Amino acid sequence: MYTVHDVAKKMTISPHTLRFYENQGLFPHVTRNHANVRQFSNEDLEWVRIVQALRLTGMSLSEVKRYIMLCEAENPTIDERSQLITTQRERAEKELINIKEKIKVLEEKEQYYQDLALQVRRDYRNPKLKY
């Protein structure tokens, strides 16, 4: 069994976040000892990994909780779990497209300023300058 601090070190997550997630019901089998200290089993560490992975994708806490509840229900929920993952992947792909657009704008700006620094063209994008 592991304490919150053991898990925090092992999983690179803050003890505060672990407690918060546990209070939200994201770790369905965490127990407490006689001193009311949370006790994480090896199985609980797998739940922590799952929660970390889903949160990394940007999945909301309520969706993560739904996913965990579906996992607890086992095989009859495979289709719904699959749909949650597919929906999250689609969101991530849209986010990637948006990030690529931002990078393109920034690259154009970088090139503009590199050219400007070389005196290749005038700073026509600065609204303070009148031509």
Side-chain angles (χ1 to χ4, degrees):
M1 297 301 261
Y2 304 94
T3 67
V4 166
H5 291 284
D6 297 334
V7 176
K9 271 186 186 176
K10 187 176 187 78
M11 306 298 289
T12 318
I13 186 171
S14 75
H16 173 78
T17 301
L18 279 170
R19 287 187 207 98
F20 176 75
Y21 286 170
E22 195 268 331
N23 287 337
Q24 297 297 308
L26 301 183
F27 308 132
H29 304 288
V30 170
T31 59
R32 292 177 184 256
N33 67 13
H34 65 285
N36 205 31
V37 174
R38 290 172 180 85
Q39 298 288 294
F40 289 77
S41 67
N42 286 328
E43 180 184 338
D44 296 321
L45 294 182
E46 290 304 313
W47 286 112
V48 173
R49 283 186 188 91
I50 289 168
V51 170
Q52 284 182 299
L54 294 176
R55 291 295 289 151
L56 183 64
T57 72
M59 188 178 279
S60 71
L61 285 175
S62 62
E63 290 170 317
V64 171
K65 187 171 185 172
R66 176 77 182 142
Y67 180 85
I68 289 168
M69 288 171 36
L70 292 169
C71 286
E72 288 287 291
E74 297 179 5
N75 284 348
T77 66
I78 288 173
D79 290 341
E80 194 172 348
R81 282 183 274 155
S82 176
Q83 185 56 50
L84 274 171
I85 297 301
T86 298
T87 299
Q88 193 59 31
R89 179 191 48 78
E90 290 168 352
R91 285 183 194 146
E93 286 173 346
K94 287 178 185 173
E95 186 177 333
L96 180 59
I97 289 167
N98 289 336
I99 289 170
K100 284 181 177 182
E101 288 173 2
K102 290 175 186 178
I103 290 171
K104 184 179 177 187
V105 167
L106 291 169
E107 287 172 343
E108 289 170 0
K109 292 277 187 197
E110 278 181 320
Q111 188 61 54
Y112 170 78
Y113 285 109
Q114 287 170 3
D115 291 349
L116 190 64
L118 294 172
Q119 305 283 325
V120 173
R121 58 177 135 158
R122 295 178 64 188
D123 189 6
Y124 66 89
R125 292 187 183 170
N126 186 338
K128 288 186 120 184
L129 300 178
K130 294 182 181 179
Y131 296 101

